[in-house]
Amino acid sequence: MAAVADRTFAKFTFLKLDPAWQRREAEARAQDKGEFLAACEDFAEDRSLRAYSTVGTRGDTDLLLLAQSPILEDIHTFHVVLGQSGLAKWMTIPHSYLAMTKPSPYSDTAARAEICTSERKYLFVYPLDKKREWYLLPAEERQRIMAQHIEIGRRYPEITINTAYSYGLDDQEFVVSFEGDDPGQFLDLVQELRGSESSSYTLRDTPIFTCVAMSVARGLDALDGAATARAPEPVAGL
């Protein structure tokens, strides 16, 4: 993917399946999944697409697709094509977040052109809004508060944070996503952050999604427990 400078659009699309689809004949289900997968493979030829299953971790979603591109029209076109697949006709989108990567004003670490690119097993995602009082603080005060926040995060090196910005693009201000192999470590990190000064300026940080990384094909198979005919695939990515 050819990123433009250090900014890339990231679209988090959470999908929920109509249970009636699981009662369709196996051949019809396989065809529906094949059409859905073909749309994903086409987008992923030269752009980033990650899949995560939320079966068993959320009651209101079954699958997360994270599509990334420096061109917003690419993401629009992908969802138009995806919506034409047989499976999409049995799905709703209960949660959807659009954001963009950019350098953090509180860290010297360079912004990544893409987020959520590791092979770790889990992704934890939530929208975040700050209280208006946060933006009224002097820049030096916000820097001091965030320095403590960042220091707490560094105590958990096995957890990778991805911050994407949604100002003016969507209802939330940020979409925060954490990658890790141990959900217990993420639980401990969040619990410790609750006691930080920065937490007192949080207006909203829910809903929180615990997502299991896997290929799109495996994520689709998790919807009905039936594997379509294909070669073995990696855990994450396509």
Side-chain angles (χ1 to χ4, degrees):
M1 184 182 73
V4 176
D6 51 12
R7 298 195 178 201
T8 300
F9 290 100
K11 177 61 165 58
F12 297 78
T13 303
F14 289 90
L15 298 154
K16 178 64 179 177
L17 179 71
D18 183 340
W21 177 82
Q22 296 171 319
R23 296 191 289 273
R24 299 192 77 201
E25 294 295 328
E27 183 177 346
R29 284 185 278 116
Q31 180 176 342
D32 288 346
K33 290 192 290 185
E35 294 172 1
F36 191 99
L37 180 60
C40 292
E41 290 177 334
D42 181 66
F43 178 85
E45 282 187 6
D46 55 1
R47 286 152 296 213
S48 175
L49 181 67
R50 308 282 292 189
Y52 305 86
S53 178
T54 55
V55 173
T57 66
R58 289 283 302 195
D60 55 349
T61 71
D62 295 309
L63 182 70
L64 163 62
L65 294 181
L66 170 54
Q68 299 184 69
S69 174
I71 303 171
L72 185 56
E73 286 79 3
D74 286 353
I75 293 175
H76 163 75
T77 301
F78 168 55
H79 284 83
V80 170
V81 174
L82 197 66
Q84 296 170 357
S85 68
L87 184 59
K89 294 176 174 59
W90 296 83
M91 287 177 154
T92 58
I93 303 176
H95 304 280
S96 171
Y97 306 110
L98 177 65
M100 176 178 272
T101 63
K102 76 181 194 72
S104 169
Y106 308 111
S107 173
D108 294 331
T109 303
R112 285 170 285 170
E114 295 179 11
I115 59 174
C116 306
T117 59
S118 79
E119 298 301 320
R120 290 177 173 169
K121 296 178 183 178
Y122 303 102
L123 184 73
F124 309 92
V125 182
Y126 57 86
L128 176 67
D129 290 309
K130 305 289 281 187
K131 295 178 180 178
R132 292 298 185 190
E133 291 83 352
W134 171 255
Y135 298 101
L136 298 177
L137 293 175
E140 297 80 6
E141 182 68 358
R142 280 184 275 131
Q143 183 68 58
R144 179 191 65 81
I145 294 171
M146 286 305 299
Q148 181 203 29
H149 181 95
I150 293 170
E151 178 58 32
I152 292 174
R154 287 173 176 165
R155 298 174 195 167
Y156 297 84
E158 296 305 313
I159 301 294
T160 301
I161 183 172
N162 303 275
T163 301
Y165 299 79
S166 297
Y167 295 109
L169 300 179
D170 207 340
D171 293 345
Q172 68 286 337
E173 295 176 351
F174 310 90
V175 181
V176 188
S177 48
F178 297 80
E179 300 165 271
D181 291 321
D182 183 355
Q185 288 188 352
F186 180 66
L187 184 152
D188 293 341
L189 168 59
V190 173
Q191 184 176 9
E192 187 168 354
L193 286 172
R194 286 292 188 269
S196 67
E197 189 174 357
S198 65
S199 181
S200 65
Y201 290 96
T202 297
L203 178 64
R204 175 180 73 124
D205 58 0
T206 58
I208 298 177
F209 304 88
T210 297
C211 314
V212 184
M214 57 185 63
S215 68
V216 174
R218 286 192 60 210
L220 294 177
D221 290 343
L223 299 176
D224 64 351
T228 54
R230 60 179 182 276
E233 297 163 347
V235 171
L238 286 165

